[in-house]
Amino acid sequence: MSLSNIKRVKSSEIELKDRLVSIQRVAKVTKGGRTFSFSAIVVVGDENGVVGYGLGKAKEVTEAITKGIDDAKKNLIKVPIIKGTVPHEQYGKYSGGNVLIKPAVHGTGVLAGGAMRAVLESAGVTDVLAKSLGSSNPHNVVKATIDALLKMRDAYTVAQQRGVDLNKVFNG
């Protein structure tokens, strides 16, 4: 995916809600014993097509979460959502994490596991079928889900890229 297709959004203009995906306690073994710190993966979104993720590390849990939220606000992207679902089926991949996201009819809800659910709900998707196919590591699943959402294109964007009328996209 080329970096030119990433639709960046300014965080100051919108009201964002944050979701904690995972907290890990990590230990560094030193001469004096173990030194514990925490890493937190956080997803933020306005539930209206804007979503971002961030990683925060600190000695305290609350500091790690705060740093994660700040990091997530720097990495916001715009996602196409049509009638509460995604425009088309899409695979996403990051390292060992593979995800499949499919559109669903109204009333289905968000059928997705842990880390994927947080990203999709923060983005504002209300009806979707999703499956994590590879690693269950939350870091990789979140990044693979963001990758899949970045690859999504709505009909208007497709028509613009092909240089044709919107009707021609649907009717051939």
Side-chain angles (χ1 to χ4, degrees), residues 22 61 82 120 123 145 149 159:
S22 133
V61 176
I82 298 158
L120 293 168
T145 307
L149 292 174

Short mmCIF file of all heavy atoms in Angstrom, two decimals, residues 22 61 82 120 123 145 149 159:
data_model
loop_
_atom_site.label_atom_id
_atom_site.label_comp_id
_atom_site.label_asym_id
_atom_site.label_seq_id
_atom_site.Cartn_x
_atom_site.Cartn_y
_atom_site.Cartn_z
N SER A 22 -5.01 -3.81 24.95
CA SER A 22 -4.24 -4.75 25.76
C SER A 22 -3.20 -4.03 26.59
O SER A 22 -2.67 -2.99 26.20
CB SER A 22 -3.58 -5.76 24.82
OG SER A 22 -2.25 -5.98 25.08
N VAL A 61 0.84 2.03 34.84
CA VAL A 61 -0.20 1.66 33.88
C VAL A 61 -0.88 2.90 33.30
O VAL A 61 -1.05 3.01 32.08
CB VAL A 61 -1.27 0.74 34.54
CG1 VAL A 61 -2.39 0.43 33.56
CG2 VAL A 61 -0.63 -0.55 35.01
N ILE A 82 -20.11 2.66 4.53
CA ILE A 82 -21.34 2.84 3.77
C ILE A 82 -22.47 2.10 4.48
O ILE A 82 -22.41 0.88 4.65
CB ILE A 82 -21.18 2.30 2.33
CG1 ILE A 82 -20.09 3.11 1.62
CG2 ILE A 82 -22.50 2.39 1.56
CD1 ILE A 82 -19.48 2.43 0.45
N LEU A 120 -12.68 -1.84 14.79
CA LEU A 120 -13.86 -1.67 13.94
C LEU A 120 -14.93 -0.81 14.63
O LEU A 120 -15.54 0.05 13.99
CB LEU A 120 -14.43 -3.03 13.55
CG LEU A 120 -13.52 -3.85 12.63
CD1 LEU A 120 -14.01 -5.29 12.52
CD2 LEU A 120 -13.42 -3.23 11.25
N ALA A 123 -13.89 2.78 14.66
CA ALA A 123 -14.02 3.37 13.33
C ALA A 123 -15.47 3.72 13.01
O ALA A 123 -15.74 4.52 12.12
CB ALA A 123 -13.48 2.41 12.27
N THR A 145 -5.64 -5.14 10.92
CA THR A 145 -6.99 -4.58 10.74
C THR A 145 -6.91 -3.18 10.15
O THR A 145 -7.66 -2.84 9.22
CB THR A 145 -7.75 -4.55 12.08
OG1 THR A 145 -7.71 -5.84 12.67
CG2 THR A 145 -9.19 -4.13 11.89
N LEU A 149 -8.39 -1.84 6.56
CA LEU A 149 -9.25 -0.66 6.45
C LEU A 149 -8.64 0.39 5.52
O LEU A 149 -9.36 1.10 4.81
CB LEU A 149 -9.50 -0.06 7.84
CG LEU A 149 -10.37 -0.90 8.78
CD1 LEU A 149 -10.42 -0.26 10.16
CD2 LEU A 149 -11.77 -1.08 8.24
N ALA A 159 -14.23 5.26 -9.02
CA ALA A 159 -14.58 5.99 -10.24
C ALA A 159 -13.57 7.10 -10.52
O ALA A 159 -13.16 7.30 -11.67
CB ALA A 159 -15.98 6.58 -10.10
#
